[in-house]
Amino acid sequence: FLNKELEGKFKLFGEVLNIEHKGDDFTVSVLIQNTVVPVNVPFNEGKSLFIGDKVIVASEAFNPVLFRI
């Protein structure tokens, strides 16, 4: 899973909270700081994940939107 070179513009560290098998893929709930982020992963990558695993969420196509708070 992490044998790939991570060259994305966006990388966050998180922890796997839940793993749901959906069709041919998995939806993995990842806790990043205080936010739970659902991430869709292919079957071959999702089947090797376990609750509590530390992971990196990365994206190469990242187009951020800014909101004033």
Side-chain angles (χ1 to χ4, degrees):
F1 182 68
L2 287 178
N3 294 337
K4 304 174 191 172
E5 183 67 29
L6 295 176
E7 296 178 3
K9 298 179 184 284
F10 162 78
K11 297 176 198 165
L12 296 172
F13 293 88
E15 180 179 343
V16 175
L17 295 182
N18 191 38
I19 303 168
E20 292 182 53
H21 185 239
K22 292 192 174 183
D24 294 334
D25 297 325
F26 286 91
T27 299
V28 180
S29 297
V30 180
L31 179 64
I32 300 173
Q33 293 186 348
N34 63 347
T35 303
V36 177
V37 178
V39 180
N40 293 321
V41 297
F43 180 82
N44 61 338
E45 294 178 2
K47 69 181 181 180
S48 65
L49 291 171
F50 298 94
I51 292 174
D53 280 352
K54 304 296 185 207
V55 294
I56 296 173
V57 177
S59 174
E60 293 179 0
F62 182 58
N63 188 15
V65 178
L66 183 68
F67 293 96
R68 184 183 217 187
I69 56 173

